[in-house]
């Protein structure tokens, strides 16, 4: 047996022993597993033989082109994801930005195994008609304890796209109530609505932004403008699409140019609203991400969002801020739009991913007047609310918002250092808390870097055209950033 193979196996054994001790850590002493200090361990190429075999089997019943590798979730822990071939990777993608506290967190495990919570997991009630007795208490201790400032209405949903769909319905209903002057709908409206005809199904629109991503269901997809794979072959309504600011980095060096770009985009928003009003297809809602994530981690300034809200207020249009990927403390504040110092709360704020449950907050004037209007069979899952309640406790007790802020600054510092060393390969380093990104000169170079990083035990994602996307947990530490930075420099040197 070669010395390198023996060393690898000994390291793997150390990892497995450490992983076992990790799962036994008490909730009081838990921060991050001591096992994580060992770093990534690679046994096979990725995907390995077991992943390839499982993918072949799954391919018999569904398209598996998107499958990267199969995961052993029992062995995954903290910031490390373990595949079925025994490879330990530092996970900076975290299930497409949806794992708040890492894998197999003991506090969450304890919640799942607590006998008093079993009914929440065994049964999945139709919450809109038969909510469980403890649902009000759990909502108050979870979602309402994290309410965006100035908002107090919330409803759960199953996922991010579902949250967008129903938030749009709330905006449409409020818009039409205002148009009717508070009167009930006419008989003609009721009857024509059943045949997809006006006036029951009116011509009203939602303004979205280029490079936006809001989901893959049909209404959310009409607001999504990233990749053709999401859009091709699907009918879509005639809704306006405005330019999202394309800023230059570092932001502090281009304040004048960026301000001019944002003003151009706001003027375009106003023009589109006026244009669609004249076409008898008025804008009822503006939907926007506080950071365009899937579209390339695109930022805009607080002044841009303040100006956008002013336009919405002037035109009696609802402002929907989609925090599906950015909420739950991802950037150091619980909601990114808290950075914007808006004059009023947004009208709607959607959430999912790190919040574990989908749903949306909304202001009082958007509350439906009748039952079954914002509805589906389950309207979310009470077990996810129970889990979220514990996640929020950990975030508060361990001061993870501040930790995420500090670690995020450290990550951005490392990205800028790499950019300065390899300016021909990297540009536009940017980030806020656990959201970080950097651009390569083209998609091919970016994808090659991602593949080489995986060979070195770093699991990352991509977004936009040529952007490397970093989406760690809230428990990421600076030592993990150092592991990433070391391997990142190895890859850049090769490239």
């Amino acid at each position: 047996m070669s010395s390198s193979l023996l060393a690898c196996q000994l390291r793997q054994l150390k990892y497995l022993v450490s992983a076992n001790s990790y799962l036994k850590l008490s909730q009081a002493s838990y921060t991050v597993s001591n096992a994580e200090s060992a770093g990534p361990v690679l046994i096979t190429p990725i995907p390995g033989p077991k992943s390839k075999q499982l993918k072949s089997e799954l391919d018999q019943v569904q398209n598996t082109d998107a499958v990267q590798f199969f995961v052993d979730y029992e062995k995954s822990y903290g910031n490390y994801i373990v595949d079925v071939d025994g490879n330990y990777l530092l996970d900076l993608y975290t299930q497409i930005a949806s794992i708040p506290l890492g894998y197999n967190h003991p506090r969450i495990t304890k919640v799942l195994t607590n006998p008093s919570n079993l009914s929440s997991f065994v049964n999945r009630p139709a919450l809109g008609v038969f909510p469980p007795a403890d649902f009000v208490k759990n909502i108050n201790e979870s979602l309402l304890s994290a309410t965006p400032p100035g908002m107090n209405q919330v409803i759960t949903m199953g996922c991010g796209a579902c949250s967008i769909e129903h938030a749009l319905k709330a905006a449409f209903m409020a818009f039409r109530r205002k148009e009717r002057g508070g009167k009930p709908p006419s008989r003609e409206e009721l009857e024509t609505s059943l045949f997809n005809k006006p006036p029951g199904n009116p011509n009203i629109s939602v303004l979205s932004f280029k490079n936006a991503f809001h989901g893959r269901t049909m209404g959310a997809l009409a607001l999504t403008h990233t990749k053709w794979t999401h859009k091709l072959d699907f009918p879509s309504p005639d809704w306006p699409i405005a330019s999202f600011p394309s800023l230059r980095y570092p932001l502090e060096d281009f304040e004048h140019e960026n301000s001019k770009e944002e003003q151009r985009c706001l003027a375009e928003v106003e023009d589109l609203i006026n244009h669609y009003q004249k076409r008898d297809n008025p804008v009822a809602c503006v939907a926007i991400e506080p950071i365009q994530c899937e579209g390339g981690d695109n930022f805009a300034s607080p002044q841009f969002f303040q100006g956008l809200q002013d336009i919405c207020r002037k035109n009696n249009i609802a402002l929907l801020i989609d925090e599906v990927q950015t909420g739950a403390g991802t950037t150091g504040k619980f909601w990114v739009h808290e950075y914007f110092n808006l004059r009023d709360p947004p009208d709607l704020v959607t959430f999912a991913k790190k919040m574990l449950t989908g749903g949306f907050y909304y202001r009082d004037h958007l509350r439906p007047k009748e039952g079954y209007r914002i509805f589906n069979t389950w309207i979310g899952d009470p077990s996810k609310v129970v889990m979220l309640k514990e996640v929020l406790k950990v975030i508060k007790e361990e001061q993870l918002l501040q930790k995420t802020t500090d670690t995020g600054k450290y990550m951005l510092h490392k990205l800028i250092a790499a950019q300065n060393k390899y300016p021909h390969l990297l540009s536009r380093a940017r980030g806020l808390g656990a959201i970080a990104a950097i651009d390569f000169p083209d998609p091919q170079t970016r994808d090659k870097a991602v593949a080489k990083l995986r060979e070195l035990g770093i699991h990352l994602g991509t977004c936009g055209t040529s952007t490397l996307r970093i989406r760690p947990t809230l428990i990421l530490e600076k030592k993990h950033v150092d592991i990433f930075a070391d391997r990142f420099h190895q890859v850049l040197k090769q490239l």
Side-chain angles (χ1 to χ4, degrees):
M1 180 180 294
S2 69
S3 59
S4 60
L5 179 58
L6 178 60
C8 182
Q9 291 183 344
L10 288 172
R11 195 177 186 194
Q12 176 71 3
L13 179 62
K14 178 182 177 182
Y15 241 73
L16 294 175
V17 171
S18 299
N20 184 55
S21 65
Y22 165 85
L23 294 175
K24 294 178 181 178
L25 285 174
S26 70
Q27 67 179 61
S29 65
Y30 175 80
T31 53
V32 177
S33 167
N34 293 330
E36 293 190 327
S37 62
V41 173
L42 275 297
I43 304 295
T44 73
I46 300 173
K50 291 183 181 179
S51 273
K52 289 180 178 178
Q53 178 59 37
L54 289 170
K55 183 174 180 177
S56 176
E57 295 173 10
L58 183 60
D59 195 64
Q60 302 303 308
V61 296
Q62 61 181 248
N63 183 293
T64 58
D65 288 351
V67 174
Q68 298 181 19
F69 55 86
F70 281 74
V71 180
D72 187 335
Y73 285 104
E74 290 187 14
K75 291 181 180 177
S76 301
Y77 55 88
N79 292 288
Y80 282 81
I81 188 170
V82 183
D83 74 0
V84 293
D85 290 281
N87 298 298
Y88 284 67
L89 294 89
L90 177 61
D91 191 355
L92 300 180
Y93 194 34
T94 59
Q95 306 299 314
I96 317 179
S98 65
I99 303 289
L101 303 180
Y103 297 100
N104 289 307
H105 194 292
R107 290 278 290 269
I108 305 303
T109 300
K110 186 174 181 179
V111 166
L112 294 174
T113 56
N114 186 337
S116 65
N117 291 328
L118 286 181
S119 66
S120 295
F121 294 93
V122 173
N123 308 291
R124 189 173 183 184
L127 288 173
V129 285
F130 309 112
D134 60 358
F135 191 59
V136 176
K137 178 177 182 294
N138 287 335
I139 285 286
N140 276 303
E141 294 177 357
S142 59
L143 290 167
L144 291 179
S145 72
T147 304
M151 306 182 81
N152 56 26
Q153 300 280 320
V154 68
I155 188 167
T156 56
M157 286 291 160
C159 68
C162 186
S163 305
I164 288 288
E165 295 283 352
H166 289 278
L168 293 181
K169 288 166 64 177
F172 291 148
M173 285 188 287
F175 184 82
R176 291 291 286 152
R177 282 197 301 268
K178 190 180 299 181
E179 285 193 330
R180 295 188 189 104
K183 296 178 181 177
S186 67
R187 176 177 293 276
E188 183 185 16
E189 288 175 306
L190 298 177
E191 292 175 350
T192 54
S193 70
L194 302 179
F195 296 95
N196 303 336
K197 302 289 184 182
N201 293 135
N203 290 322
I204 49 179
S205 59
V206 179
L207 186 144
S208 56
F209 290 84
K210 296 173 185 177
N211 297 313
F213 183 88
H214 295 282
R216 292 176 172 85
T217 52
M218 295 305 290
L221 198 57
L223 312 177
T224 292
H225 316 292
T226 49
K227 300 181 179 70
W228 65 262
T229 50
H230 305 324
K231 305 276 289 184
L232 182 67
D233 298 329
F234 308 136
S236 190
D238 177 15
W239 289 353
I241 307 168
S243 297
F244 191 90
S246 180
L247 304 186
R248 299 178 66 183
Y249 296 85
L251 298 177
E252 60 271 16
D253 291 349
F254 298 97
E255 289 184 4
H256 176 72
E257 295 90 338
N258 289 340
S259 176
K260 188 176 179 180
E261 166 68 0
E262 291 186 335
Q263 291 303 313
R264 179 189 71 82
C265 294
L266 290 174
E268 186 178 322
V269 168
E270 289 206 89
D271 288 344
L272 284 168
I273 290 172
N274 293 331
H275 178 65
Y276 272 73
Q277 180 69 42
K278 291 175 182 177
R279 291 176 52 184
D280 293 324
N281 191 6
V283 175
C285 180
V286 169
I288 191 168
E289 302 157 275
I291 301 170
Q292 285 190 324
C293 293
E294 171 75 12
D297 275 17
N298 305 314
F299 287 74
S301 72
Q303 290 74 30
F304 172 79
F305 286 93
Q306 292 167 12
L308 185 63
Q309 186 177 58
D310 290 344
I311 292 171
C312 289
R313 289 284 175 267
K314 183 175 71 174
N315 292 278
N316 293 314
I317 294 170
L319 176 60
L320 186 161
I321 295 186
D322 181 357
E323 294 250 24
V324 165
Q325 190 162 152
T326 56
T330 307
T331 60
K333 289 186 182 292
F334 205 87
W335 304 104
V336 174
H337 74 264
E338 292 182 68
Y339 284 103
F340 300 156
N341 298 315
L342 298 176
R343 296 169 181 81
D344 299 297
D347 297 290
L348 301 132
V349 175
T350 52
F351 56 84
K353 289 194 180 285
K354 280 186 171 65
M355 291 291 283
L356 304 182
T357 176
F360 62 95
Y361 298 96
Y362 55 100
R363 297 182 67 184
D364 292 344
H365 67 279
L366 288 154
R367 179 179 174 129
K369 301 299 183 183
E370 309 90 8
Y372 293 97
R373 296 281 270 155
I374 303 293
F375 190 83
N376 56 45
T377 299
W378 288 322
I379 314 183
D381 183 343
S383 68
K384 301 300 186 293
V385 175
V386 171
M387 293 169 63
L388 174 62
K389 184 166 65 171
E390 193 65 19
V391 167
L392 296 178
K393 288 180 182 178
V394 174
I395 289 174
K396 182 177 181 180
E397 291 169 12
E398 299 186 5
Q399 299 180 321
L400 293 186
L401 296 186
Q402 184 59 52
K403 181 175 181 178
T404 299
T405 300
D406 296 340
T407 308
K409 289 178 179 177
Y410 191 65
M411 174 69 80
L412 184 57
H413 171 75
K414 294 292 187 181
L415 291 176
I416 292 172
Q419 177 178 287
N420 291 338
K421 188 172 182 179
Y422 300 96
H424 59 295
L425 286 176
L426 301 174
S427 63
R428 302 179 75 237
R430 55 206 184 274
L432 189 61
I435 288 180
I438 197 164
D439 286 0
F440 283 80
D442 53 68
Q444 295 77 20
T445 307
R446 187 267 317 270
D447 294 345
K448 189 175 182 179
V450 169
K452 287 185 174 294
L453 280 163
R454 184 174 294 172
E455 292 173 5
L456 296 175
I458 308 296
H459 180 45
L460 290 156
T462 62
C463 62
T465 303
S466 55
T467 300
L468 180 70
R469 170 164 50 170
I470 299 173
R471 294 293 187 274
T473 68
L474 302 179
I475 61 169
L476 193 79
E477 294 189 357
K478 292 180 180 178
K479 64 183 180 184
H480 302 113
V481 177
D482 288 334
I483 292 171
F484 158 73
D486 174 68
R487 285 154 176 77
F488 193 39
H489 279 275
Q490 291 181 46
V491 169
L492 294 172
K493 187 176 181 180
Q494 292 178 37
L495 292 176

